[in-house]
Amino acid sequence: MAKPAGSYCLLSCLFVLFVSCTSAAKNDQDKQVYIVYMGALPARVDYMPMSHHTSILQEVTGESSIESRLVRNYKRSFNGFAAWLTESERQILANTEDVVSVFPSKTLKLQTTASWDFVGLKKGKRARRNPSIESDTIIGVMDSGINPLSDSFSDKGFGPPPKKWKGVCQGSKHFSCNNKVIGARNYTPKIKGVPHSAIDNMGHGSHTASTAAGNAVKDVSFYGLANGTARGGVPAARIAVYKVCDPCIKGCTTDGILSAFDDAIGDNVDLITISIGDDKGLPFHEDIIAIGAFHAMAKGILTVNAAGNSGPELSTVTSVAPWIFTVGASNTNRAFVTKAVLGDGKTVVGRSVNSFDLKGTKYPVVYGKTASSNCDAASAAFCSPGCLDRKLVSGKIVLCDSVQNVEEAKYMGAVASIARSIRTDTALVFSFPVTALSGPAYDVFLSYINSTKNPIAAVLKSETIFNQKAPVIASYSSRGPNPIIPDILKPDITAPGTEIIAAYSPSVPPSIADTRHLKYSILSGTSMSCPHVAGVAAYIKTFHPRWSPSMIQSAIMTTAWPVNASTLMPEFASGAGHVNPLAAVHPGLVYEASKSDYIAFLCGLNYTGKNLRLISGESRTCTKAQSKSLPRNLNYPSMTAQVPATKPFKVTFRRTVTNVGTSNTTYKAKVVGSKLNVEVFPDVFSLKSKHEKKSFTVTVSGKGLGGGELVASSQLIWSDGFHFVRSPIVVYAANW
């Protein structure tokens, strides 16, 4: 299954604990759900995919009725089905002529009052709008559903859906679409006793949908924190809901995700936002999101995907295909801090979203390590479940060596908790007063406890601070290098993902053990940055409706802001930089890549026969030229290559730009920020007309990275004096 990317997955995973779900019963223990992928739909008018799928399944299983076997059909944008199969049946199907591949369905994970202002898309004259085109723009949201009653999704002032819309509203009898949320489909398994509806019972889907395209809603806050107007990037756009995630299945099934792509393409959405991913990057022919997104790209639909929440470790990015726009997470200039005051008056500052007000009252403090009678010291210090003694904890503030177990202190009667956290750049929501401290700040408390006979302290209500250093990559945001294709830089871009306030589901608590119900909540993760970029992409599309997915992606990447480099190997954290919506509307030049370019790219990776057909959906044979193409020569807005660590190297990138700016203009190349030798040829070119193309090469050489450095980077900037078209150039050591 797929995984959501919000609150660096912590909250998304914890939501499962709040819903009483029965397990989806398997038909037989020796069967599991497999996806049977059959490529492109035949062009024959008389072809009936569902009948074909039925006959194949009947023949393989020997059963006349396959109702209990068939899970879903793929019949609108590509061909195939999902079914319960035994291993022997899978093998038979895999060797059937009409079948490209058979692979198991699995479960993936789910991976703003100030954020849109921070990126520059403010309300007012600077952020121009095309209201009529924006209103005809449809964003497909693949997530956990939506809360249709939220003000963010009201259709007040909206006319009927665009004429191009071909979707349906199948949210359930309790789910009503309107002229804002124009369609809804549910792909989660039906479970006995659990309502089958597109209504969001995780909060995640509502949050991502409203971030991308929610209405402007005034006076939104989290119990007084972060007060302001919550809105999406394109408030006038329409939303189509594709529910693929549910707490009852603890994630998102890949067979459902592929079906959602099939329908979203057929429904005629303009772009897709999907904050879902696997635990690791997968080869393209095993990556359901990559397969679905390829079909979307071929139909002119851009797929925006979260990078994942496994940072700061390197090579953890999970969205790796070049036809997908992969988004990392950064902060804004706003943060939530929570102070703790010791009995001697000393104050330490931590991070949390704490809306509880203890009025500054000081309470006795106890360390988890000394508040246990039945656990070893290390487990007790972590406040591990079952370790704390209620008699020693009740009515006190408890220190925990891990922020993951603070709710255990609440269960035992604690009034508040102070915890050590390895991630102090993100504030989480808790069900009682908590502040998460960095190691040094936490040690101040330990020292105070050890030196004081009757230690006391207070945990204050959170404060909102502004003007912090930003944008900075969030520690949880997954990094490159690309684990599958080393010569494609991923993530592509970064956007606000930390402490984002947006629509939520009132039926879902904002944190574990919480009893509060709210319409708007604060989440963090690449799940939150992904819909920001989807909103920006939709915004650009309102000015350039005919631009292809690669043109929109290029425009956003080449106009990005530089990101603060205070992180390990920043090139693999931020990609091209931080999204800059207003500049992206007028990029000057774009790097275009078509379906045929991506197929040549795959041929160069030795994708042939069934594997190539699996991704593209078509039977194709690679030409000699395609088979010799190098991945780094894909016409991509960034340039990346692995090189020997200590030996001399020389690599060449071939690129072509298309003029989308003014006619009769001259661009000059400039390379900045590198110790490398970089040659651009030609380094000057003139463009007489719009849509004219110019090709060039970039040759990077060196005597080896040396000096213990594993990565070297620079930037190529093409400029005509008005436009600045920026591309990162990154070389890094092989086998690093």
Side-chain angles (χ1 to χ4, degrees), residues 439-455:
Y442 186 74
D443 289 342
V444 170
F445 260 93
L446 290 180
S447 176
Y448 169 68
I449 286 180
N450 293 332
S451 62
T452 307
K453 187 175 182 180
N454 295 303

Side-chain angles (χ1 to χ4, degrees), residues 238-255:
R238 316 302 178 110
I239 295 171
V241 177
Y242 301 88
K243 181 175 179 177
V244 294
C245 308
D246 193 275
C248 291
I249 55 174
K250 300 183 180 180
C252 330
T253 61
T254 52
D255 63 276

Side-chain angles (χ1 to χ4, degrees), residues 3 12 19 62 76 109 132 141 273 307 319 349 366 388 399 403 423 472 478 499 501 519 595 600 620 642 686-687:
K3 307 174 182 179
S12 302
V19 183
R76 301 183 67 194
K109 293 186 299 187
S132 60
V141 182
T273 179
S319 175
V349 180
V366 62
L388 298 180
L399 265 64
V403 75
R423 300 187 190 274
V472 175
S478 290
E499 298 162 14
I501 187 168
K519 296 179 180 179
K595 178 181 177 180
R620 284 178 176 257
Q642 273 191 330
S686 296
L687 297 161

Side-chain angles (χ1 to χ4, degrees), residues 649-653 676-681 697-701:
F649 62 86
K650 184 176 183 180
V651 293
T652 298
F653 303 94
L676 298 169
N677 297 317
V678 181
E679 295 181 4
V680 183
F681 181 81
T697 60
V698 177
T699 302
V700 182
S701 60

Side-chain angles (χ1 to χ4, degrees), residues 385-614:
C387 286
L388 298 180
D389 187 327
R390 182 178 294 275
K391 293 179 182 179
L392 300 175
V393 167
S394 184
K396 298 178 182 179
I397 295 175
V398 180
L399 265 64
C400 299
D401 283 358
S402 171
V403 75
Q404 294 181 342
N405 297 321
V406 294
E407 298 290 348
E408 182 70 13
K410 179 187 178 183
Y411 295 149
M412 293 295 106
V415 295
S417 181
I418 296 168
R420 183 194 298 269
S421 177
I422 60 172
R423 300 187 190 274
T424 54
D425 61 344
T426 306
L428 292 179
V429 176
F430 298 95
S431 65
F432 73 127
V434 174
T435 185
L437 304 179
S438 65
Y442 186 74
D443 289 342
V444 170
F445 260 93
L446 290 180
S447 176
Y448 169 68
I449 286 180
N450 293 332
S451 62
T452 307
K453 187 175 182 180
N454 295 303
I456 58 173
V459 175
L460 306 184
K461 186 176 180 179
S462 290
E463 301 175 18
T464 305
I465 62 171
F466 287 89
N467 298 319
Q468 63 169 329
K469 187 187 293 185
V472 175
I473 301 300
S475 62
Y476 57 79
S477 186
S478 290
R479 267 75 163 162
N482 190 323
I484 304 300
I485 310 297
D487 288 355
I488 297 294
L489 186 65
K490 289 287 181 174
D492 295 305
I493 199 79
T494 185
T498 298
E499 298 162 14
I500 306 300
I501 187 168
Y504 201 63
S505 178
S507 64
V508 182
S511 65
I512 191 170
D514 228 326
T515 57
R516 296 174 293 179
H517 302 278
L518 56 161
K519 296 179 180 179
Y520 291 83
S521 190
I522 295 170
L523 296 177
S524 296
T526 55
S527 276
M528 285 62 253
S529 56
C530 174
H532 274 91
V533 171
V536 173
Y539 176 70
I540 293 169
K541 197 170 180 66
T542 64
F543 292 95
H544 307 287
R546 296 184 180 180
W547 276 13
S548 67
S550 65
M551 294 172 74
I552 295 172
Q553 180 174 342
S554 174
I556 295 173
M557 290 176 66
T558 59
T559 57
W561 295 332
V563 173
N564 188 289
S566 60
T567 184
L568 177 65
M569 298 186 183
E571 301 88 350
F572 296 129
S574 60
H578 193 272
V579 65
N580 183 1
L582 299 185
V585 174
H586 304 289
L589 304 173
V590 293
Y591 295 84
E592 288 188 80
S594 64
K595 178 181 177 180
S596 60
D597 292 321
Y598 292 121
I599 288 175
F601 166 81
L602 292 169
C603 288
L605 296 172
N606 296 319
Y607 274 79
T608 57
K610 280 196 170 185
N611 279 349
L612 182 59
R613 185 181 165 203
L614 176 59

